[in-house]
Amino acid sequence: MVTLTRELIDISLLLEKTINADCGATVLFLGTVREHTNLKITKSLTYEAYEPMALKMIQSICDKATEKWNIGKIMVIHRLGCCKPMEITVAVITTAPHRAEAFASCSWVIDEIKKTVPIWKEELDNSNNSVWIHPINP
Amino acid sequence: MYITILVFGELKKRINSDRLTISTDLPISAVELLKLVESLKPELGYLLKYCSLATNGELANTQTLIQANEEVALLPPVSGG
């Protein structure tokens, strides 16, 4: 299941939907808003997406993960809109019969999402400066 | 013809809109469209060189031909997660 949401992410609900009798391992990755980066203080991150393409690409990543590893369920939920420090911005859950597949697939899925999916964040700091984050590899 | 291009992130901030509309002959290749945008919207600056184009929700390559009535989006480097 792949979702983009403007609501707070409820982890217990996600786990309830993913933990299943065929899988002995469930790995949950949570991305959260980091308030402190060296001397900088972040007040919020605001996310936007090219939503139809983002949903399609995340689903494609999940499908590829299912081909690469023997996994049971896979779920991705990503926040849109304004997120305050410590709020969950993205959750990836994978389940598998054994932990190696669950860890490897969860790690791969979040890496692929961060590298390729059209979602962007704008950071607001405690001086009320806002900057869109666009990592550029020269 | 006119083509509307959806824009995101810093691009949106620079043109103060979530889309830009430009006049061009269609079809046009993705690389030619990017050149046209660069010439018409210099305020997009260096970031444009790092952007990708998508048509109908699929990443375009440089030679992809953009037709009338396709949804076109200009995607700056992503930062989800």
Side-chain angles (χ1 to χ4, degrees):
Chain A
M1 193 179 99
V2 172
T3 310
L4 301 173
T5 181
R6 286 171 177 77
E7 307 295 324
L8 290 173
I9 293 173
D10 180 345
I11 311 168
S12 55
L13 189 64
L14 299 182
L15 289 172
E16 198 176 291
K17 286 181 179 172
T18 44
I19 292 174
N20 63 94
D22 296 327
C23 293
T26 297
V27 170
L28 163 64
F29 169 81
L30 297 176
T32 56
V33 178
R34 184 177 59 245
E35 185 171 19
H36 300 103
T37 306
N38 301 322
L39 296 176
K40 186 176 66 180
I41 297 175
T42 299
K43 280 173 75 174
S44 66
L45 296 176
T46 299
Y47 287 84
E48 72 169 3
Y50 180 22
E51 294 186 40
M53 186 173 177
L55 287 168
K56 199 160 56 173
M57 288 183 75
I58 296 171
Q59 186 59 58
S60 170
I61 290 166
C62 292
D63 292 345
K64 283 179 190 160
T66 305
E67 288 168 17
K68 281 168 75 77
W69 289 279
N70 176 25
I71 52 180
K73 290 191 179 179
I74 182 163
M75 182 179 284
V76 175
I77 183 163
H78 201 299
R79 278 288 301 275
L80 298 176
C82 183
C83 302
K84 302 291 185 191
M86 295 192 296
E87 283 184 16
I88 298 164
T89 60
V90 61
V92 178
I93 305 177
T94 55
T95 70
H98 304 285
R99 68 184 182 280
E101 293 100 334
F103 274 120
S105 58
C106 188
S107 176
W108 183 82
V109 167
I110 185 60
D111 284 351
E112 289 298 305
I113 289 170
K114 288 179 74 76
K115 275 191 292 191
T116 63
V117 175
I119 299 175
W120 302 272
K121 59 178 165 250
E122 183 181 38
E123 182 175 30
L124 178 69
D125 69 18
N126 64 334
S127 303
N128 287 325
N129 294 316
S130 62
V131 178
W132 282 99
I133 311 295
H134 293 304
I136 290 169
N137 300 315
Chain B
M1 294 190 74
Y2 287 95
I3 184 167
T4 298
I5 304 172
L6 305 176
V7 299
F8 299 91
E10 176 65 21
L11 301 174
K12 197 169 67 171
K13 199 171 175 179
R14 289 189 186 185
I15 63 169
N16 203 26
S17 174
D18 62 359
R19 59 199 61 209
L20 59 93
T21 302
I22 58 178
S23 174
T24 180
D25 291 330
L26 293 174
I28 184 172
S29 70
V31 68
E32 289 302 322
L33 182 59
L34 283 171
K35 283 181 192 167
L36 190 57
V37 171
E38 188 177 18
S39 67
L40 295 172
K41 295 287 175 187
E43 61 269 39
L44 294 177
Y46 76 96
L47 190 54
L48 193 56
K49 295 191 188 306
Y50 298 94
C51 289
S52 307
L53 269 181
T55 58
N56 294 332
E58 300 281 345
L59 276 180
N61 62 46
T62 54
Q63 298 312 312
T64 300
L65 282 179
I66 295 157
Q67 314 281 349
N69 302 318
E70 286 187 329
E71 182 171 280
V72 182
L74 189 55
L75 312 176
V78 299
S79 56

